[in-house]
Amino acid sequence: MRSTCLIAALAGLAYAVPTPQSINFDEIDGADAPALTGPPVDAVSQPVSYDEQAAKAAAAAEVTNDLSTPSKRGLAKRGVNDPCSPQPDGYGPKPAVDSASAFLAFSTFADTAKNAATPQGYQASFQNAQGSVSANTYMGLYTLKTYDTIKCQQLCDAADSCSAFNIYFERDPTIAPAEACPKPSSFTNIKCTLWGSPVTPESATNKGQYRRDFQVVIAGSNGYTKNNPPNAQPGFDGPTEFGGAINAPNSYIGQKYFPGVYDAGKCAAACQANTAYDKRHPRSDGTYDACNFFNVYLLSANNVPQGTYCSLYTKSWGKQYSTNYGQYRGSDYYSVSSSYGYTLNPQDSGHI
């Protein structure tokens, strides 16, 4: 019998053992990063296509595949605009002087951001930054006609697994810069990006870029994060809020890391897929390692969200065991947040 999950599987462990549940950096390094960590520079709309049920199915398939052969995952390519093609009109205000420095200094942007309403059920993560969010948990982009935090919140609430949003002013070219038109005039887009994790000041690192000789910059950037816990999962009791990640003395059977959107459903699928695999490959005495409990948390590097980390156990554990708040890897600090536990109901006996 092979133990069911990641490092346990790779090490050929046959039984659940009291292994320390530290962050497995080999697992993180082996996962493909999401294709996008924010909207492409030429995008004005990227509707959210994230589907929780499809994500759970994909997670289960990936875990099952991990137990037999290493998976190979490809990345999507970004699109480009035709040279000098007109860009969709921006609806935001713009300074009298058409330059990047004037855009950054334009007081209207700062005043709008500082006076924007915080939607009910959300908390402000940062305000009036001159950078937009860049993280593995990017979900989609909408361009608005007004700087409307409530509209952006409604778009987030309508999207599966959306945990936060970022709204900002962006200086964009009126036509796509190219050799024949390297520095066109500008207009202002008001952008709303959705995120599958909390957003933080440290994640607002996209300060813009050059498109030929045209400088894209960002101002009046606000980030908002939901106060809600993750969704309940069918067949499990929970979520139970923890302080850090679980560090239990026994019953640990492995972990799985999913870069991208924070989604407890992926861990539920991983837990069930592990049990199904082990049940098909029992020990000689008819026993197998049933996943009866999982701990899900958001893993961040230097406070920038990275993805969903799942730790799996044959029995449940309480908050007093949630003592792993993070660890250093060289000079980088990997932190644990949004940590929750889910307990299988009814419990699986782990015996054929």
Side-chain angles (χ1 to χ4, degrees), residues 36 64 119 123 209 215 233 262-263 296 298 319 321 327 351:
L36 295 176
T64 302
Q123 59 183 357
Q209 60 184 288
Q215 187 176 2
Q233 298 300 320
Y262 173 69
D263 184 354
V296 56
L298 175 68
K319 188 172 184 178
Y321 292 95
Q327 63 197 75
H351 198 286

Side-chain angles (χ1 to χ4, degrees), residues 27-46:
E27 165 69 5
I28 294 166
D29 292 341
D32 287 330
L36 295 176
T37 57
V41 68
D42 56 0
V44 293
S45 178
Q46 272 193 319

Side-chain angles (χ1 to χ4, degrees), residues 42-296:
D42 56 0
V44 293
S45 178
Q46 272 193 319
V48 174
S49 60
Y50 189 81
D51 184 300
E52 289 179 348
Q53 294 305 312
K56 289 173 72 171
E62 184 176 326
V63 168
T64 302
N65 191 51
D66 283 347
L67 297 169
S68 52
T69 57
S71 59
K72 297 180 180 180
R73 300 177 291 275
L75 302 181
K77 296 181 179 179
R78 301 186 183 193
V80 295
N81 283 306
D82 293 333
C84 300
S85 61
Q87 305 295 281
D89 280 344
Y91 291 96
K94 58 179 291 185
V97 177
D98 192 359
S99 69
S101 58
F103 188 94
L104 292 172
F106 193 38
S107 62
T108 297
F109 297 149
D111 292 342
T112 301
K114 291 176 182 177
N115 293 317
T118 299
Q120 294 297 314
Y122 286 72
Q123 59 183 357
S125 301
F126 59 86
Q127 187 179 62
N128 194 35
Q130 291 188 339
S132 62
V133 173
S134 179
N136 282 351
T137 55
Y138 171 69
M139 295 184 70
L141 161 72
Y142 297 89
T143 299
L144 308 180
K145 292 187 176 181
T146 61
Y147 192 97
D148 187 347
T149 55
I150 305 304
K151 176 63 177 176
C152 200
Q153 164 250 314
Q154 291 168 344
L155 291 167
C156 182
D157 288 348
D160 282 355
S161 293
C162 182
S163 297
F165 67 87
N166 178 205
I167 185 171
Y168 54 93
F169 297 102
E170 183 174 279
R171 181 178 188 261
D172 287 323
T174 54
I175 59 176
E179 185 176 358
C181 52
K183 193 175 182 179
S185 60
S186 75
F187 54 48
T188 302
N189 275 314
I190 302 169
K191 295 190 172 182
C192 163
T193 55
L194 308 187
W195 299 88
S197 72
V199 293
T200 63
E202 291 83 358
S203 64
T205 57
N206 177 20
K207 306 294 184 181
Q209 60 184 288
Y210 276 93
R211 297 178 62 184
R212 290 284 181 165
D213 296 334
F214 182 92
Q215 187 176 2
V216 176
V217 290
I218 290 152
S221 177
N222 286 5
Y224 300 88
T225 297
K226 279 184 182 178
N227 297 323
N228 298 347
N231 293 336
Q233 298 300 320
F236 291 85
D237 293 336
T240 300
E241 186 175 9
F242 295 145
I246 293 293
N247 192 13
N250 56 55
S251 81
Y252 173 67
I253 54 176
Q255 81 292 308
K256 179 66 180 173
Y257 170 67
F258 298 99
V261 172
Y262 173 69
D263 184 354
K266 295 176 182 177
C267 292
C271 181
Q272 292 168 326
N274 272 262
T275 297
Y277 183 92
D278 256 21
K279 195 171 184 178
R280 293 193 302 269
H281 303 82
R283 303 180 182 94
S284 59
D285 63 358
T287 62
Y288 57 91
D289 288 337
C291 180
N292 282 309
F293 172 81
F294 69 85
N295 175 206
V296 56

